Amino acid sequence: MKTLTGTRFGDIEYDPEQTLKFPEGLVGFPHLHHFIVMPQTKPGPLFWIQSVEDAALAFVLTDPCGFFLDYAVTPDAGERSKLGIGDEDDCLLLAVVTVPPDRKITLNLAAPILFAPKTNRALQVILEKTSWQTRTPLPAA
């Protein structure tokens, strides 16, 4: 076990073998490759991932399909290869959540995260020729 200090969550003990791995980093953060998935303390669809390489950086993620029923992204062969999975393996979709001061929450649906539970790897991809936005507002309730 290792300890990560100075995070917004306090000191975190984690197993380096159990971190969520982003082989290519995140968009805008190509140097961040390992994240700790933080346990949820409140019920709901949002959860945090904490960077191991930079204690000051953590991101809120969610499953966008729970908000946008028509949202779908299928990884291509190259993306499956980077995730270390085959055609039959599960690949889940996640989106980075932004919560600005005005509390009008948006999701980045133009650059979703593909997550392979089998390998614990994730890949953020930029969708081309899409109508989804980087700051897609949550649908009205």
Side-chain angles (χ1 to χ4, degrees):
M1 296 293 276
K2 286 189 163 189
T3 302
L4 181 65
T5 59
T7 77
R8 68 185 309 133
F9 308 103
D11 294 347
I12 303 169
E13 286 195 21
Y14 70 98
D15 180 349
E17 297 299 318
Q18 299 298 316
T19 60
L20 176 61
K21 296 162 191 70
F22 285 80
E24 298 181 347
L26 288 168
V27 173
F29 301 95
H31 59 292
L32 303 179
H33 299 282
H34 299 276
F35 287 83
I36 301 164
V37 178
M38 300 303 299
Q40 285 187 285
T41 56
K42 299 178 184 177
L46 307 179
F47 64 97
W48 288 88
I49 59 170
Q50 168 65 55
S51 170
V52 171
E53 288 95 350
D54 187 339
L57 289 177
F59 299 93
V60 179
L61 302 182
T62 193
D63 175 355
C65 300
F67 300 100
F68 300 92
L69 301 180
D70 59 338
Y71 187 72
V73 178
T74 303
D76 63 24
E79 292 160 344
R80 285 190 170 278
S81 176
K82 291 175 185 175
L83 292 168
I85 59 174
D87 292 340
E88 304 302 319
D89 295 316
D90 289 335
C91 184
L92 307 177
L93 274 175
L94 298 170
V96 177
V97 178
T98 300
V99 183
D102 66 5
R103 312 288 286 168
K104 293 181 180 176
I105 298 172
T106 61
L107 305 183
N108 183 351
L109 298 182
I113 294 171
L114 304 172
F115 168 58
K118 179 180 177 181
T119 60
N120 211 26
R121 289 186 187 172
L123 186 68
Q124 188 171 27
V125 296
I126 298 174
L127 302 180
E128 296 180 12
K129 299 178 183 175
T130 182
S131 60
W132 297 109
Q133 303 295 310
T134 57
R135 294 185 185 262
T136 304
L138 285 178

